[in-house]
Amino acid sequence: MGQALGCIQVDQSNVVIREHFGKFDDVLEPGCHCLPWCLGYQVAGGLTLRVQQLDVRCETKTKDNVFVNVVASVQYRAIAEKASDAFYRLTNTKEQIQSYVFDVIRASVPKLNLDAVFEQKNEIAKAVEDELEKAMSTYGFEIVQTLIVDIEPDVQVKRAMNEINAAARLRLAANEKAEAEKILQIKRAEGEAESKYLSGLGIARQRQAIVDGLRDSVLAFSQNVPGTSAKDVMDMVLVTQYFDTMKEIGASSKSSSVFIPHGPGAVRDIATQIREGLLQGDSV
């Protein structure tokens, strides 16, 4: 804005308030205007039409008694059609906006818990914007946008919240680890049960095969060698198994010393004991 020889220049995005003998006369828009000061015309002041930003920090308390600092960013501008109201009706625009922001935030935040304040910051910003728009429009200002840019609890509260979050994550990790160990134990037990079951099937099949082999041997020997009885064949089988056992004991380098009676009489006694044991088992 410049003035020379009774002329005035108004810059772009600005307006100038012109008075005539101290009374409001007109709003001068950007460009060159005649201002005959000798006739009582003068410039009272100017206004910018650009969007301005005001950051307001407000300390308040939540519903769960936690003190927080809420930072609201208000973007506003003067309305060209109401420039006279914007110039004359407010002494300090920023303090007026700040008062309304304090009023709305301190009326809204105490109704919410701390977690809800973080979750509903858009609703708080909307409430501030609506209140400011309704109040400041009568003074010639437009509220472009209002944002809640920061919510700062006390340092000790933030530390406690971090500790709670860390404890919850540790508890979740412990539960997952315990569940994994439980699954491993179950699978290990199922594997052992299946192994024992299969081992039992193998032993049963082995014994069944031995019994079948003995039966076939007895029948074949009785048929091929006339005059032999089943008892003779069983005695021969027992003697054969006795010598096979002796062979295995002697061939094993890890076996401890075993003293057993040896000779035809001893073999006969062993066969008799086995046969009597089987007969007693059958009678029971």
Side-chain angles (χ1 to χ4, degrees), residues 99-223:
S99 298
Y100 281 108
V101 172
F102 282 170
D103 181 67
V104 176
I105 290 179
R106 287 174 177 169
S108 302
V109 174
K111 300 177 182 179
L112 304 172
N113 291 326
L114 181 60
D115 293 338
V117 173
F118 284 94
E119 296 172 358
Q120 301 183 24
K121 70 182 188 67
N122 291 334
E123 287 77 1
I124 298 174
K126 181 63 176 174
V128 174
E129 182 176 342
D130 292 343
E131 184 66 22
L132 284 175
E133 182 68 28
K134 180 174 61 176
M136 299 302 294
S137 62
T138 60
Y139 298 109
F141 285 92
E142 176 189 4
I143 303 301
V144 179
Q145 192 171 16
T146 301
L147 302 173
I148 301 297
V149 296
D150 198 5
I151 300 173
E152 299 178 354
D154 185 77
V155 176
Q156 295 181 356
V157 174
K158 290 194 292 186
R159 186 182 298 112
M161 293 174 64
N162 291 333
E163 291 177 355
I164 292 173
N165 189 18
R169 293 183 180 274
L170 289 175
R171 182 169 60 252
L172 179 61
N175 290 335
E176 293 295 334
K177 183 178 180 180
E179 189 67 22
E181 292 179 353
K182 175 183 176 182
I183 294 174
L184 288 176
Q185 292 179 0
I186 292 175
K187 293 300 181 181
R188 189 181 297 111
E190 291 178 352
E192 291 178 357
E194 184 69 18
S195 176
K196 291 180 180 179
Y197 172 74
L198 294 177
S199 177
L201 288 179
I203 293 174
R205 291 175 181 176
Q206 179 186 10
R207 292 175 178 175
Q208 183 66 37
I210 292 174
V211 172
D212 293 342
L214 290 175
R215 184 183 65 249
D216 295 340
S217 297
V218 170
L219 293 177
F221 197 88
S222 299
Q223 294 176 359

Side-chain angles (χ1 to χ4, degrees), residues 268-284:
R268 183 176 64 255
D269 293 339
I270 293 173
T272 303
Q273 293 175 8
I274 295 175
R275 189 180 304 105
E276 290 178 353
L278 293 175
L279 293 175
Q280 291 177 0
D282 292 339
S283 62
V284 175

Side-chain angles (χ1 to χ4, degrees), residues 19-24 37-42:
E19 293 180 347
H20 186 215
F21 291 114
K23 181 180 179 181
F24 170 73
W37 55 271
C38 59
L39 298 179
Y41 290 96
Q42 63 180 358

